[in-house]
């Protein structure tokens, strides 16, 4: 006869409750890229003195999130490479004031030291060339006009003007500064009287335009 063979019914393999509880995806590692903390306020930077004479102090004011480290980044002409001019940390919503002694046009922005994407727009401080002007009588109706620029720049074009009674400026001489920033010219007058003079220099990439005080010269 045919042997009596027992057939076992097919059953699904048992599923562990531990396996059923495993998440579908695993997160292995945190990103190493710097990110801004959630809700961190964007910093701000404003310039209080957008146009100053060379050799004086510019004032900038910044705000930012409390306890966040910041860097004030600037460059001064003729350079266009930013460097860290100031650094520190904000306290609770307290503005930070920066003072910078400048001789040339300067551009700055502020950023948090950690986390990308929250740099402020850049601001510019225009720095005017400072010009002195004096005169010395060396002979009858003959005078030497002279002065100096700041910053001390050689080869800068200086223009001497006579200022009439209505305030109009009449160009009388074009001069160039020497290696020490000094300019000088001798003028001989044909008549006598009292006249007013000033000098100017035009704007350059490095400095804003400059003008001297107006002086009065008695010609005799």
């Amino acid at each position: 006869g045919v042997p009596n063979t027992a057939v076992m019914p097919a059953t699904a393999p048992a599923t562990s409750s531990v396996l059923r509880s495993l998440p579908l995806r695993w997160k292995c590692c945190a990103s190493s890229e710097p990110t801004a903390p959630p809700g961190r306020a964007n910093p701000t930077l404003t310039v209080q003195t957008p146009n100053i004479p060379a050799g004086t102090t510019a004032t900038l004011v910044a705000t930012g999130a409390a306890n966040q480290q910041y860097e004030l980044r600037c460059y001064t002409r003729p350079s266009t490479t930013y460097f860290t001019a100031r650094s520190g940390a904000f306290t609770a919503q307290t503005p930070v004031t920066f003072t910078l002694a400048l001789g040339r046009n300067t551009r700055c922005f502020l950023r948090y030291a950690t986390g990308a994407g929250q740099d402020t727009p850049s601001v510019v401080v225009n720095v005017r060339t400072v010009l002195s002007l004096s005169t010395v009588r060396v002979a009858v109706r003959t005078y030497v006009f002279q002065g100096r620029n700041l910053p001390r720049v050689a080869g800068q074009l200086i223009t001497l003007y006579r200022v009439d009674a209505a305030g109009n400026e009449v160009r009388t001489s074009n001069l160039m500064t020497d290696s020490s920033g000094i300019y000088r010219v001798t003028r001989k007058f044909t008549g006598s009287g009292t006249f007013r003079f000033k000098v100017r220099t035009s704007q350059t990439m490095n400095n804003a335009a400059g003008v001297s005080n107006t002086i009065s010269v008695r010609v005799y």
Side-chain angles (χ1 to χ4, degrees), residues 58-129:
T59 302
L60 296 85
V61 176
T63 64
N67 303 317
Q68 294 295 312
Q69 298 286 326
Y70 63 77
E71 294 177 347
L72 179 68
R73 304 275 293 171
C74 301
Y75 69 74
T76 295
R77 288 289 189 176
S79 173
T80 56
T81 301
Y82 283 103
F83 67 95
T84 300
R86 299 286 189 275
S87 62
F90 290 109
T91 57
Q93 303 302 318
T94 302
V96 177
T97 299
F98 307 107
T99 55
L100 304 174
L102 302 176
R104 298 179 186 275
N105 296 337
T106 299
R107 182 181 293 272
C108 298
F109 73 94
L110 187 130
R111 68 184 184 187
Y112 288 125
T114 58
Q118 290 184 285
D119 298 351
T120 68
S122 64
V123 297
V124 174
V125 179
N126 289 307
V127 182
R128 304 191 303 273
T129 299

Side-chain angles (χ1 to χ4, degrees), residues 115-194:
Q118 290 184 285
D119 298 351
T120 68
S122 64
V123 297
V124 174
V125 179
N126 289 307
V127 182
R128 304 191 303 273
T129 299
V130 174
L131 297 171
S132 64
L133 174 63
S134 63
T135 186
V136 177
R137 184 176 184 269
V138 293
V140 176
R141 293 191 294 276
T142 304
Y143 293 76
V144 174
F145 291 83
Q146 60 189 10
R148 204 173 189 186
N149 61 6
L150 182 68
R152 308 300 184 207
V153 178
Q156 186 167 32
L157 177 63
I158 308 293
T159 304
L160 176 67
Y161 293 89
R162 180 175 61 81
V163 183
D164 65 18
N168 300 309
E169 299 178 4
V170 181
R171 184 172 60 187
T172 62
S173 299
N174 286 328
L175 317 168
M176 300 292 284
T177 55
D178 64 16
S179 59
S180 299
I182 294 173
Y183 65 90
R184 184 178 291 110
V185 64
T186 300
R187 295 297 308 274
K188 184 173 180 62
F189 295 85
T190 57
S192 300
T194 299

Side-chain angles (χ1 to χ4, degrees), residues 6-29:
V7 178
M8 298 296 293
T11 58
T15 302
S16 165
S17 62
V18 175
L19 291 175
R20 284 198 303 270
S21 67
L22 289 175
L24 296 177
R25 295 182 180 177
W26 291 77
K27 291 186 178 180
C28 167
C29 308

